[in-house]
């Protein structure tokens, strides 16, 4: 699988609509890149968006879902940005085979 674009809105620290286009600019010409930044800028959230788009769950919220006092909707309430009206996770990719 080759990831082309990652986009979303209202997930954790990424309140506004965002898009990471891996087909444009210097990222497109390199086979390897790093996601870097200060604490709270959304690095882990980018990975959450990929997992949510592919599997409808994110691994770092797995423990929240597994607690017997919480139901499935509680996991999504923890993923969605506080006060957000929209929560979306999108991933565009192609198979390499």
């Amino acid at each position: 699988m080759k990831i082309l674009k990652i986009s979303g809105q209202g997930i954790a620290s990424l309140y506004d609509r965002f898009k990471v286009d891996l087909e444009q600019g210097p990222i497109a010409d390199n086979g390897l890149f790093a996601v870097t930044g200060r604490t709270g800028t959304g690095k882990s959230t980018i990975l959450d968006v990929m997992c949510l788009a592919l599997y409808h769950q994110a691994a770092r919220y797995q423990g929240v879902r597994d607690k017997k006092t919480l139901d499935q909707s509680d996991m999504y309430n923890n993923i969605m940005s506080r006060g957000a009206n929209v929560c979306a996770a999108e991933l565009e990719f192609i198979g390499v085979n």
Side-chain angles (χ1 to χ4, degrees):
M1 172 172 72
K2 179 180 179 183
I3 299 170
L4 306 175
K5 294 180 181 114
I6 306 164
S7 59
Q9 179 179 355
I11 299 178
S13 62
L14 302 177
Y15 293 87
D16 297 326
R17 183 99 178 123
F18 68 89
K19 181 177 180 180
V20 179
D21 189 346
L22 301 173
E23 294 185 293
Q24 301 295 321
I27 287 179
D29 299 329
N30 294 299
L32 182 65
F33 61 92
V35 179
T36 64
R38 295 173 54 160
T39 301
T41 57
K43 300 176 301 294
S44 296
T45 303
I46 295 294
L47 300 174
D48 291 341
V49 168
M50 293 171 51
C51 292
L52 287 168
L54 290 169
Y55 306 111
H56 302 278
Q57 61 183 4
R60 73 174 164 152
Y61 298 101
Q62 191 71 32
V64 172
R65 190 185 70 173
D66 290 342
K67 290 182 180 177
K68 294 189 186 318
T69 58
L70 301 176
D71 62 20
Q72 185 76 12
S73 65
D74 287 313
M75 180 180 76
Y76 298 116
N77 289 336
N78 284 300
I79 291 170
M80 189 170 184
S81 301
R82 294 187 192 278
N85 295 327
V86 175
C87 183
E90 301 168 357
L91 184 67
E92 186 176 324
F93 63 92
I94 58 173
V96 291
N97 57 358

